[in-house]
Amino acid sequence: EFQDAIRIAPNDISINIELAKAYFSQGIVDEAIEAYRNVIRLDSKNAAAHFELGVIQSNQGNADEAIKSFRTMLQLSPNHCRAHQELGRLLRDKGQATDAIISFSQALELDSNNAVLNYELGDVYYREGLFSDAEKVFHRALELQSDYVDVYQKLGAIHSNQSEWKE
């Protein structure tokens, strides 16, 4: 039915967005990507389309394109916490720690009570050997979610490493 609506009103952004969502929910990913790209052609400032396109690109393992989509989205809507988080994850996975730290920090400015964001920022610090910084945000994550097992594991590793270094 959305395809019929597109034939009637091909430049209707809301119909194109609904078509993209329908394709994606049915697992027709290439068509969903094309539908979101069509929305962006019609309205290059449609932040939601850039975000959703970035999510699909990330899920498909296309990190470079997803990073571009999230960065464009954040230029249009800089206070979108999840876009900062998704960008931070991609940058972390590509080994771009400094940029990942910036993205996770920006996300935390928007949602400081998010245990997962605190953990993810701490994880980047941990991977970079910045154990003091990691420990601070890991403790914040535990304040927010006391049963966060991954945080306890990382804190244990930090303390284990520190005791080895002292010997």
Side-chain angles (χ1 to χ4, degrees):
E1 72 189 57
F2 287 120
Q3 291 172 336
D4 292 337
I6 289 290
R7 279 193 281 281
I8 295 167
N11 296 329
D12 186 305
I13 291 169
S14 62
I15 293 172
N16 278 277
I17 288 173
E18 291 306 315
L19 179 63
K21 289 178 183 178
Y23 279 142
F24 187 70
S25 71
Q26 295 173 16
I28 309 171
V29 178
D30 290 340
E31 285 82 354
I33 289 170
E34 191 52 42
Y36 280 121
R37 285 187 175 143
N38 193 45
V39 170
I40 292 166
R41 278 191 289 277
L42 295 170
D43 178 10
S44 64
K45 295 183 193 272
N46 190 307
H50 287 284
F51 177 79
E52 295 299 335
L53 181 59
V55 169
I56 293 171
Q57 291 165 328
S58 177
N59 289 340
Q60 294 234 296
N62 192 346
D64 293 334
E65 289 302 311
I67 288 169
K68 288 178 193 173
S69 293
F70 289 129
R71 284 190 167 144
T72 300
M73 191 280 181
L74 287 165
Q75 289 173 346
L76 299 169
S77 184
N79 292 329
H80 195 283
C81 182
R82 185 158 169 236
H84 285 291
Q85 182 179 22
E86 295 295 333
L87 179 59
R89 289 173 176 165
L90 290 164
L91 295 167
R92 173 199 62 207
D93 293 347
K94 287 185 68 68
Q96 297 176 21
T98 301
D99 289 337
I101 289 168
I102 291 168
S103 289
F104 286 130
S105 296
Q106 289 171 326
L108 278 168
E109 286 178 23
L110 299 167
D111 185 6
S112 63
N113 293 324
N114 185 316
V116 173
L117 283 173
N118 279 279
Y119 172 78
E120 290 181 315
L121 176 59
D123 184 50
V124 177
Y125 286 140
Y126 176 85
R127 293 175 186 208
E128 292 300 303
L130 302 169
F131 298 125
S132 176
D133 293 326
E135 197 167 9
K136 287 176 193 167
V137 289
F138 285 151
H139 282 293
R140 176 66 179 141
L142 289 177
E143 288 173 17
L144 298 167
Q145 184 179 330
S146 62
D147 63 346
Y148 206 140
V149 175
D150 292 342
V151 175
Y152 285 110
Q153 291 173 337
K154 287 287 167 76
L155 285 170
I158 289 170
H159 292 181
S160 174
N161 286 337
Q162 289 174 343
S163 66
E164 287 175 17
W165 293 333
K166 290 178 184 175
E167 294 176 0

